[in-house]
Amino acid sequence: MIEAIEWATRETARAGSPFQGRIDVARIAVGGHSCGGLQAIAVSHDPRIKTTLVLASGIYIRPGGRSGVKVDKSQLERLHAPMLYMTGGPSDIAHENAADDVERITRLPVFFGSLPVGHGGTFSQPDGGEWARVTTRWLDWQLKSDADASWDFAGTDCRLCVDERWTVIRKNLPAPQGPRRESTYVPVRDGTRLSMHVYRPARNGELLQGKLPVLFAFTPYRARFRDAQGRVHELESFPRGVAERMLDAGYVLAVADIRGKGSSFGARRGFQDRTEALDGHDLVQWLAAQPWSSGHVGMYGCSYVGGTTVHVATTAPPALKAIFTGASDLDKFAFVRNGGITAQFNTRPDEPLSDDLASIPVDEDWRGTMLQAAVAEHAGNTPMAPLWYGMPCRDSVSPLTGNAFWQEVGPYTHLDTLRESGIATYFWSNLQDEPTGQMILAAENLGGKLLIGPGTHCAVPPDFDFDGEVQRHFDQHLRGQAVPQSARVKWWLDGAPPGQNWQQDSRWPGVTAKRQRWFLSGDGEGGLQTRAPRKASQSFTVNYDLGP
């Protein structure tokens, strides 16, 4: 093992080596099964080793074991890094030796897990079985500082601690980091299983107790996935500051993939159709019924995810108390076909199925077989661009959905339900973004709050306590807390003196503006005038010959 470490050190530094710069020798683990575990312990005093995996092994209590590896219990005092011990239960020939090692280790972080599968472990199972999963998670924590993996081993509510299959002993482990994530499939009313990822807040490695409010995002952009470099992306439906603040404030965060996207099953019939809205309704009610939930749910989102907040609200789930909606629409036809031309972002190709296969499977599906089955169903999704192109008029019947789809996906057709639902609304967008007019219409029609920033699509407004604004909205409507009174409408005024860009009032200023009629002037200069021009005509010649 030491020779292997030295080889890796040379090769990652050697010019021309196929491994040049590709081995991180600052993050090295050693491990082994049975006799190999003894060999790993024997070299683990080396300062280059950051953690050791001892599988169905342990130093002999009675010297002279049959392995031939010369190591005794005094080696345990020389160890310096966290240790993972796993055995196949009391029937495992190495179980007693391993348990004795763990009892003798007093200074180091150590996790001892016993699964009653015998000395051979689960290596003969597909992908190495449960032992392979657990050792991978340990390495993710120890070598990659994966906060989510820390919850498998550390904390009162560690995942292996509450798994009835495992018997565990833990010593000197640091507290787990970040929120505790749980990922599962939730069946909706037609039986389709949608992937739900729940993040429960914790302090000092302990879950917050009691029933907590829930903030939910419903996304087509993959709730949890790995990029090409292996990095995990999650909670990206919320700005980072919002996610951190709401977790610190004791909110449970939840993100689910819509049907036909990410790791959810099913096929998407149409962009933000009523099926999707009803799916969201069912998920809101599922979140409200969980034992850690207060029963009060809010929704947050921007762009498509903002649209899902409104569409779900149109189904009036009893548990949905408030939404915070960014950069979406009230009238999808007017938005998507503005001026008769389909908006560019609705004409791009749909993502390939390989994108969804990069989703991280839910907890019960660590091998990814369910994910593969789910993504196979995505092949039946209705393509977005042909859907919009195929409906040139507001009352067009889509050949793909068989109905007047603009009406189905226009939240304005459900204004009465939205008003009667009692759901508190907050709309926001930015001056350099296309949906801003739609958000103004939504706020004015529903009496919701409105925030208009200076930036582009879904950019968090500058010089403004956006995270606090989100929290205050949900504190008021999910927790019933009194919050400081503020104007219903806030907006950024370009060209204002420094420090005076942010304006506020009870209504958007454009709402009270007087309408004026303007006419093209008849002077041939292309100007505008407020009075109707005299009858006139003008001609010009266009040369279409562009030459060779």
Side-chain angles (χ1 to χ4, degrees):
M1 286 185 176
I2 296 299
E3 289 181 3
I5 292 172
E6 291 172 350
W7 174 86
T9 302
R10 289 193 306 270
E11 286 301 297
T12 195
R14 181 171 66 85
S17 166
F19 302 103
Q20 183 180 6
R22 302 183 67 181
I23 304 174
D24 186 352
V25 293
R27 295 186 287 179
I28 293 176
V30 295
H33 173 258
S34 193
C35 299
L38 290 174
Q39 293 173 323
I41 295 172
V43 301
S44 288
H45 60 280
D46 189 300
R48 294 171 292 184
I49 293 170
K50 303 306 179 188
T51 189
T52 302
L53 287 66
V54 184
L55 311 179
S57 186
I59 299 173
Y60 295 117
I61 297 173
R62 293 168 288 279
R66 61 185 181 181
S67 70
V69 180
K70 295 181 179 180
V71 59
D72 59 37
K73 296 290 186 180
S74 65
Q75 174 68 1
L76 298 175
E77 292 299 318
R78 303 176 68 197
L79 304 180
H80 66 91
M83 306 287 291
L84 172 68
Y85 279 82
M86 288 199 305
T87 71
S91 67
D92 184 343
I93 192 173
H95 182 81
E96 186 180 4
N97 294 332
D100 185 71
D101 279 6
V102 172
E103 184 176 352
R104 291 170 184 259
I105 296 173
T106 59
R107 300 174 295 104
L108 302 177
V110 58
F111 183 94
F112 177 37
S114 172
L115 185 69
V117 292
H119 187 65
T122 62
F123 297 126
S124 63
Q125 297 177 13
D127 302 312
E130 182 72 354
W131 276 24
R133 184 188 71 82
V134 172
T135 54
T136 301
R137 295 290 283 173
W138 177 265
L139 293 174
D140 283 344
W141 183 25
Q142 299 300 321
L143 300 187
K144 294 183 175 181
S145 301
D146 185 331
D148 182 70
S150 70
W151 282 97
D152 284 23
F153 308 94
T156 304
D157 300 284
C158 90
R159 296 186 182 104
L160 290 172
C161 302
V162 299
D163 188 330
E164 295 180 353
R165 299 171 301 169
W166 285 88
T167 301
V168 306
I169 297 173
R170 301 174 300 159
K171 300 173 74 172
N172 308 317
L173 292 178
Q177 299 96 45
R180 187 183 190 277
R181 178 200 51 79
E182 302 166 8
S183 299
T184 189
Y185 279 118
V186 178
V188 291
R189 63 188 63 195
D190 66 355
T192 301
R193 291 168 291 172
L194 306 185
S195 58
M196 173 69 77
H197 308 268
V198 173
Y199 300 80
R200 296 174 60 189
R203 293 201 181 118
N204 302 317
E206 298 295 329
L207 287 174
L208 294 190
Q209 298 303 305
K211 293 184 177 295
L212 306 175
V214 183
L215 190 55
F216 172 45
F218 197 24
T219 182
Y221 300 127
R222 296 177 297 174
R224 192 164 182 259
F225 69 96
R226 290 187 189 275
D227 64 20
Q229 288 71 46
R231 291 187 293 263
V232 174
H233 294 254
E234 55 191 334
L235 286 174
E236 293 187 347
S237 295
F238 306 94
R240 179 182 294 274
V242 169
E244 292 175 350
R245 180 153 184 160
M246 299 307 283
L247 286 167
D248 288 345
Y251 282 79
V252 176
L253 300 186
V255 186
D257 289 309
I258 65 168
R259 72 168 62 206
K261 302 296 274 185
S263 54
S264 285
F265 282 83
R268 184 169 66 168
R269 168 179 162 271
F271 189 108
Q272 295 182 337
D273 66 354
R274 296 311 289 167
T275 301
E276 186 176 301
L278 292 170
D279 287 346
H281 176 287
D282 294 350
L283 295 179
V284 165
Q285 294 305 114
W286 181 87
L287 289 167
Q290 298 311 298
W292 33 257
S293 171
S294 68
H296 290 176
V297 180
M299 290 189 71
Y300 175 94
C302 191
S303 194
Y304 191 112
V305 189
T308 62
T309 71
V310 180
H311 280 277
V312 174
T314 65
T315 70
L320 185 60
K321 305 303 180 184
I323 60 175
F324 201 106
T325 303
S328 186
D329 59 78
L330 186 67
D331 179 353
K332 197 170 293 294
F333 173 79
F335 175 49
V336 173
R337 297 286 301 204
N338 191 10
I341 301 174
T342 306
Q344 56 83 19
F345 55 84
N346 289 284
T347 61
R348 64 177 181 267
D350 289 274
E351 298 84 358
L353 298 184
S354 56
D355 281 10
D356 286 342
L357 284 172
S359 298
I360 299 174
V362 300
D363 296 340
E364 63 188 295
D365 181 37
W366 70 274
R367 291 192 184 96
T369 54
M370 297 171 75
L371 171 64
Q372 293 176 12
V375 173
E377 294 186 2
H378 301 178
N381 287 352
T382 298
M384 183 167 63
L387 175 65
W388 301 140
Y389 279 140
M391 299 183 294
C393 303
R394 182 179 290 275
D395 58 356
S396 294
V397 172
S398 169
L400 297 176
T401 64
N403 70 331
F405 195 68
W406 290 121
Q407 278 69 51
E408 179 176 346
V409 294
Y412 74 92
T413 61
H414 302 279
L415 282 174
D416 288 342
T417 301
L418 288 167
R419 293 185 183 114
E420 295 166 4
S421 68
I423 297 169
T425 57
Y426 198 131
F427 299 94
W428 76 280
S429 195
N430 291 321
L431 293 174
Q432 300 176 49
D433 199 6
E434 292 174 89
T436 302
Q438 289 285 320
M439 292 292 86
I440 295 169
L441 282 173
E444 286 302 313
N445 277 275
L446 294 171
K449 287 194 167 185
L450 177 65
L451 173 66
I452 304 296
T456 56
H457 192 57
C458 293
V460 172
D463 304 324
F464 184 84
D465 183 17
F466 184 77
D467 305 341
E469 192 80 354
V470 173
Q471 183 186 343
R472 287 185 288 273
H473 181 64
F474 290 113
D475 279 351
Q476 178 179 0
H477 299 290
L478 271 61
R479 284 180 158 154
Q481 293 182 359
V483 299
Q485 292 296 313
S486 65
R488 188 175 75 84
V489 180
K490 304 178 180 73
W491 71 94
W492 176 276
L493 181 63
D494 272 335
Q500 299 180 36
N501 295 97
W502 283 106
Q503 308 285 308
Q504 58 183 20
D505 203 341
S506 60
R507 299 190 76 186
W508 172 250
V511 172
T512 56
K514 247 180 146 179
R515 289 182 176 269
Q516 291 182 313
R517 297 182 70 186
W518 290 83
F519 302 89
L520 289 172
S521 64
D523 59 7
E525 299 297 324
L528 295 174
Q529 59 189 42
T530 56
R531 58 182 175 80
R534 61 182 175 79
K535 193 170 184 180
S537 63
Q538 187 177 10
S539 63
F540 57 92
T541 301
V542 177
N543 182 3
Y544 289 98
D545 185 5
L546 301 180

